[in-house]
């Protein structure tokens, strides 16, 4: 569904990504694991087009989308939940969700999407009028994911959804991600530093270090590869 070939990107004079290539297969969860500063967020942002790739190609459903602006990519069915749980704290849960319906396609489907989202996120359905800023960290993460689903994506990129959450909440957020993925038939590209949970939910994993892909394989292969674990995962 998504294919990245020799992607290069950076900021000002500083190159961050050095010809990275990866595939996210339709209907699967694919993950990109790596430590702080490896270039994970840069990969997602250049894939969506919020930063401009320096080189390489990005294909979405077989079409070359490398230079398309991000709003076009969102219209085509791509979306990104950025790092850091950005909710509008003074707006209610319902208002936050509806903020996601900004595209033409999304606004047409707004009512139907809201019902679907409430089914997938019962915790949000219970408190539509609550100010988002007063939700717990896990609930805010659910809310940012829910909001991104209002664009009715086919391809969802998630940037460190487990960041800063207590272990129990990490489990809840990931269960929801898996449910959303299977119920909506989504293709997911997940960026994480949490190795254990990633190897549990992803089918295929890429390991990014200092802007290059150092290893890749099915989660089972990576789990059982002592070399990879010792060299890159610290487990
Ligand atoms: N807006 C920016 N301007 C300049 N340099 C940046 C910018 N954003 C990131 N960088 C640098 O690019 C490199 C890769 O950053 P990136 O955010 O992609 O890493 P990451 O793998 O997502 O890390 P983390 O796990 O901490 O989120 C780092 O050296 C970072 O300092
Ligand atoms: Mg990041």
């Amino acid at each position: 569904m998504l294919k990245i070939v020799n992607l290069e990107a950076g900021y000002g004079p500083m190159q961050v990504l050095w010809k990275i290539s990866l595939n996210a297969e339709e209907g699967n969860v694919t993950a990109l694991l790596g430590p702080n500063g490896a270039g994970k967020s840069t990969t997602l942002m250049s894939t969506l087009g919020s930063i401009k790739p320096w080189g390489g190609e990005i294909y979405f459903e077989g079409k070359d989308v490398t230079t398309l602006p991000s709003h076009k990519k969102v219209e085509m069915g791509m979306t990104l939940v950025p790092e850091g749980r950005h909710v509008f704290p003074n707006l209610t849960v319902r208002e936050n969700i509806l903020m996601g319906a900004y595209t033409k396609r999304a606004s047409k489907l707004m009512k139907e999407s809201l019902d679907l989202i409430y089914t997938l996120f019962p915790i949000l359905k219970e408190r539509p009028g609550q100010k988002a800023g007063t939700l717990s960290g896990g609930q805010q993460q659910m809310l940012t994911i829910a909001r991104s689903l209002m664009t009715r994506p086919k391809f969802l990129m998630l940037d460190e959804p487990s960041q800063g959450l207590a272990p129990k909440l990490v489990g809840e957020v990931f269960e929801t991600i898996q449910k959303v993925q299977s119920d909506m038939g989504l293709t997911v590209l997940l960026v994480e530093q949490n190795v254990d949970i990633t190897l549990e939910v992803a089918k295929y994993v890429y390991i990014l270090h200092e802007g290059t892909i150092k290893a890749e394989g099915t989660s089972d292969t990576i789990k059982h590869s002592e070399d990879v674990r010792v060299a890159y995962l610290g487990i």
Side-chain angles (χ1 to χ4, degrees):
M1 162 151 293
L2 182 94
K3 190 178 165 80
I4 296 176
V5 186
N6 293 331
L7 178 65
E8 297 187 285
Y11 305 93
M14 187 181 77
Q15 184 157 2
V16 171
L17 301 179
W18 303 81
K19 292 190 184 266
I20 71 160
S21 296
L22 64 85
N23 274 315
E25 258 185 48
E26 183 157 2
N28 287 343
V29 178
T30 302
L32 187 60
L33 266 175
N36 283 319
K40 302 182 300 299
S41 299
T42 305
T43 304
L44 295 190
M45 289 189 292
S46 39
T47 300
L48 191 70
S50 34
I51 69 168
K52 241 178 119 184
W54 290 5
E57 294 108 51
I58 300 161
Y59 298 95
F60 180 62
E61 296 187 307
K63 292 183 208 73
D64 186 343
V65 297
T66 317
T67 56
L68 284 188
S70 38
H71 69 271
K72 286 258 165 61
K73 292 183 183 174
V74 172
E75 287 284 359
M76 289 171 82
M78 300 171 72
T79 192
L80 165 64
V81 179
E83 204 170 343
R85 299 199 287 271
H86 301 288
V87 298
F88 300 100
N90 295 319
L91 297 186
T92 65
V93 165
R94 188 170 184 279
E95 287 164 345
N96 266 274
I97 296 172
L98 293 179
M99 293 293 277
Y102 59 89
T103 63
K104 223 190 268 167
R105 185 162 61 105
S107 62
K108 272 192 217 134
L109 295 170
M110 190 150 86
K111 177 76 183 62
E112 184 204 309
S113 303
L114 191 62
D115 289 345
L116 173 68
I117 280 164
Y118 279 151
T119 320
L120 292 164
F121 297 85
I123 191 92
L124 301 178
K125 188 179 184 179
E126 282 165 22
R127 45 191 88 212
Q130 187 172 335
K131 288 272 198 293
T134 67
L135 296 172
S136 73
Q139 290 162 350
Q140 289 188 13
Q141 186 60 269
M142 304 275 199
L143 181 55
T144 58
I145 297 170
R147 188 176 58 206
S148 75
L149 297 175
M150 288 300 282
T151 62
R152 301 301 286 268
K154 303 177 210 173
F155 176 62
L156 173 68
M157 295 182 273
L158 294 162
D159 197 347
E160 295 200 46
S162 79
Q163 195 184 52
L165 298 182
K168 183 174 167 284
L169 293 179
V170 172
E172 280 176 25
V173 169
F174 274 80
E175 272 168 32
T176 306
I177 292 170
Q178 282 183 301
K179 189 172 154 42
V180 166
Q181 190 262 333
S182 64
D183 288 9
M184 292 180 78
L186 291 177
T187 303
V188 173
L189 179 59
L190 169 69
V191 151
E192 262 300 334
Q193 292 197 51
N194 187 324
V195 176
D196 293 336
I197 195 108
T198 299
L199 293 179
E200 240 170 77
V201 304
K203 185 148 181 201
Y204 200 87
V205 180
Y206 293 86
I207 296 176
L208 186 69
H209 251 243
E210 296 175 353
T212 56
I213 303 279
K214 292 288 201 288
E216 63 174 273
T218 62
S219 290
D220 279 344
T221 316
I222 299 284
K223 242 183 255 176
H224 297 112
S225 162
E226 184 154 356
D227 291 355
V228 171
R229 283 191 291 130
V230 171
Y232 303 115
L233 301 179
I235 54 171

